[in-house]
Structure formats: structure tokens, C-alpha cells
Amino acid sequence: MPRFRPILDTMPAYRPGKAVMTSDGRSYKLSSNESPYEPLPSVVAAIAEGARLVNRYPDPGAVELTEAIAGRFGVPAEHIALGAGSVTVAQQLFETVGDPGVEVVYAWRSFEAYPLLADLAGVTSVRVPLAGEDHDLDAMAEAITDRTRMVFVCNPNNPTGTAIRERELVAFLDRVPRDVLVVLDEAYREYVRDESVPDGLTLYRDRPNVCVLRTFSKAYGLAGLRVGYLVGHEPVAAAVRKTIIPFAVNQLAQVAAVASLAAEDELLERVERVVKERTRVREALIAQGWEVPPTEANFVWLRLGEDTMDFAAACAVEGVAVRPFAGEGARVSIGDPEANDAFLAAAADFRKA
């Protein structure tokens, strides 16, 4: 038999959010943090037009999209690197530092792809337990050693939804050695409404060892096309660009992302609807007696402990798919009002049982 890396025998597969369906056809997928809204008509039109060119390779440099991102956020084009979703850009980052003995620090629980990407890159994960539902930035700073090459800060955090305020984050960044790269993973930035939560694109500008990850999958509703990007100083972005697979961001993804930026005002109206539903869902859960931490993402978090899998199963009976983390809790995406009402009804029934 062919011989493979031993690490593959110890790695669990990434578990994507699943859908469930009742016998009468009810199905509400609240397990993947997707936008509940389909792309805008202008974006669909751009995708349809772009389909005429799929016999050609896409622009490997994604120049039009890069320039559109640069113009939108007021950053130099050379500060941008693209990938097939922000998780792929994260993988590229791991590859830029991946030497034997290297350590990467991140909070836990946080985005579940971090350990998988670390293992694949051959680096050592240093998982720093959350303080309740929040990043323990003091402990993370203390976990940095001379072997540390990168630190991930997921803000807002997935799956808890909690966000780090500017004062705390700046104090943490000031403690990180300049030769350690800090990655601010801001996949849910568009849903943030707490003004004390900083915009990473402001913080990175005078910090060469800080970069920001963003995605078109969530707020922009392009999860099926996979477009993510990094903004960092030129040496960081250049290193990440070296690790990208050629043509990774396909033709339709590029044109859809450009069209989405052009229609951003209309798209953000949809984001505001999700934010309002987020508030409604959280307040309803609290009224039912649940403890729900404040969330700045497009999901809520319920710490359920040993009841987690039973809760997920009870939701599935009602056609509601949530994302359970056995022994810890469940993350529930905010969907449209009908889906949210179905979830709230399932949560209320479980509470009474």
C-alpha cells in the first residue's frame, strides 16, 4: 500500500453544517452561518454573463476584484491576497509559516478549521481556553514563545459570537513580538454593531505584523462560490500569494464578488435584517430562560454541556439543523423569520421537557 503522512490517521474530517428534513418536508438549515438570502438580481446577472467565459481560465491575479477591494476599503492593491474562501487563505497563511517546531496560538473553542490546518501544515497548535465565552487575551499573550510564528484572533469568535473590544485588542497587539504574525479573522465583520469592537482594517495600517481575513461567503451571500481575501502589509500579502493554487478563485467567483461590492448598499440592507432577527432571537431565547451571550455575528450560541446532542436531535425532529459541539454547546445561525420561529419553538419545547 502507498505510505502517507501519519498525521492523517489522527485527523478528524472537517464537518460541514448539515441539513435535516421532517417527514412532511420541513427543513431549516441553521448550521452553516449562510446568508438566508439568494444573491441580488444584479449579481445573478453578472454570474450569468460570466458563465459565457468559463471555457477560459480565470484571471490568475484577479486584478479587477483586487482593485475593487482596494478601492472599497482604501488600501493598496499590493496589500491584498485572495483565496477560495477565507478558510483557504487561512490555509495559505499556515503554509507560509509551516516549519517543524513552529507554534501557532489560537483560542479554543474557536473556528474548528484551525486545528486541521495546523496539523496539515505540520505546525504545533497552542490552544488557549476561552475565558467563559471570550478570548483570554492575557493567556494568549503569555502562551507566545520564541517558537511562535502566528496567532489567530477570531473576532467575532466562531462559534460563541462574542467580540473583543478595541482597548483590549490593542493592548494585546502591543504585547505581541513584532516577528509574530497576528491574523484578525473577521469573517463576520459586517454583522458587528457594537461600536467598541474595532475594525481590523484600521488596526493593521501601522502594524506590519497584523493582517485581516474577510470573506464574501457570509454577508455577501456567496458561500457557494468561495471568495476570501487577506489585507496585510506587502510582505505578508506577497507571502500568501506565493502559496495560492493557480486559478483558485474561479471566473464566476471573481465576477460575483465584484458585482456584490458594486451592490453593497443593497446587500447591507439584508445584513441589517439579519441583525434585527439576531436581536429578536436572542431576546426570545433569554425570555425562555436560556443563557445566551451577546453576539456580533450572524448566529447565537447556547452552552448546553451534556445536553448538546439531545438538543440538536430535538431540533432536527422539527426540521431545524443546528451545529452541535458535543459536550459544549450549539451554534445556531440566524435565518429568515420562518426558520427562526421554527428554531425558537423547538428550543421552547426542549426547555419544557
Side-chain angles (χ1 to χ4, degrees):
M1 293 292 292
R3 289 177 290 176
F4 300 105
R5 295 173 61 195
I7 192 67
L8 298 180
D9 294 331
T10 66
M11 288 180 59
Y14 176 77
R15 296 179 295 108
K18 65 178 183 178
V20 296
M21 183 178 293
T22 63
S23 58
D24 59 358
R26 286 177 291 127
S27 180
Y28 305 100
K29 188 184 177 190
L30 302 181
S31 55
S32 294
N33 297 343
E34 299 156 327
S35 170
Y37 303 108
E38 62 185 30
L40 294 170
S42 60
V43 177
V44 173
I47 293 171
E49 182 64 26
R52 299 175 182 273
L53 298 175
V54 295
N55 59 309
R56 305 294 184 185
Y57 287 110
D59 174 9
V63 172
E64 185 179 2
L65 176 54
T66 298
E67 291 178 348
I69 294 170
R72 165 63 181 85
F73 296 107
V75 300
E78 59 268 23
H79 284 200
I80 297 169
L82 296 168
S86 60
V87 66
T88 302
V89 183
Q91 181 180 23
Q92 294 166 230
L93 280 162
F94 274 96
E95 291 174 357
T96 66
V97 301
D99 279 329
V102 162
E103 295 178 350
V104 175
V105 175
Y106 51 86
W108 197 252
R109 177 171 291 275
S110 191
F111 182 35
E112 63 185 297
Y114 295 156
L116 304 179
L117 299 179
D119 289 348
L120 283 173
V123 304
T124 300
S125 287
V126 178
R127 306 184 191 183
V128 178
L130 295 174
E133 314 299 348
D134 303 304
H135 279 64
D136 188 339
L137 293 180
D138 286 338
M140 289 179 69
E142 292 169 3
I144 296 172
T145 71
D146 58 1
R147 296 182 297 277
T148 307
R149 292 292 176 270
M150 190 162 62
V151 178
F152 269 82
V153 178
C154 191
N155 198 34
N157 187 46
N158 177 11
T160 62
T162 55
I164 305 165
R165 292 174 172 80
E166 183 167 9
R167 182 176 179 179
E168 289 81 8
L169 185 54
V170 168
F172 170 74
L173 295 177
D174 287 343
R175 294 179 64 183
V176 178
R178 296 302 182 189
D179 62 350
V180 173
L181 180 63
V182 180
V183 183
L184 303 179
D185 189 343
E186 296 187 342
Y188 302 94
R189 173 64 203 178
E190 292 82 4
Y191 299 100
V192 173
R193 292 298 178 270
D194 184 342
E195 294 182 357
S196 68
V197 178
D199 183 336
L201 294 181
T202 299
L203 296 180
Y204 103 95
R205 293 177 190 269
D206 61 353
R207 296 176 183 270
N209 68 322
V210 174
C211 66
V212 180
L213 285 184
R214 298 272 178 94
T215 182
F216 285 89
S217 293
K218 312 301 183 186
Y220 292 88
L222 300 182
L225 287 177
R226 315 303 301 125
V227 193
Y229 61 96
L230 170 144
V231 179
H233 287 263
E234 187 171 5
V236 177
V240 172
R241 286 194 294 268
K242 289 179 181 179
T243 63
I244 191 172
I245 297 173
F247 310 114
V249 183
N250 69 63
Q251 171 71 18
L252 299 185
Q254 290 185 36
V255 299
V258 170
S260 294
L261 286 172
E264 191 174 52
D265 288 345
E266 192 175 357
L267 278 167
L268 293 182
E269 290 178 6
R270 294 178 166 188
V271 172
E272 194 59 37
R273 289 183 225 162
V274 172
V275 170
K276 290 179 179 178
E277 278 293 289
R278 176 183 75 191
T279 300
R280 182 178 76 88
V281 169
R282 180 171 181 263
E283 289 178 349
L285 288 169
I286 291 172
Q288 291 178 9
W290 300 98
E291 291 186 8
V292 188
T295 174
E296 295 294 327
N298 67 337
F299 52 85
V300 294
W301 169 253
L302 296 175
R303 185 165 288 283
L304 299 159
E306 295 180 356
D307 293 330
T308 297
M309 301 312 292
D310 288 341
F311 178 82
C315 289
V317 169
E318 302 302 324
V320 179
V322 303
R323 175 62 76 91
F325 298 88
E328 297 181 62
R331 188 195 70 198
V332 187
S333 307
I334 301 299
D336 60 29
E338 179 183 346
N340 298 333
D341 287 343
F343 162 66
L344 289 171
D349 289 344
F350 187 87
R351 189 79 184 172
K352 296 172 185 175

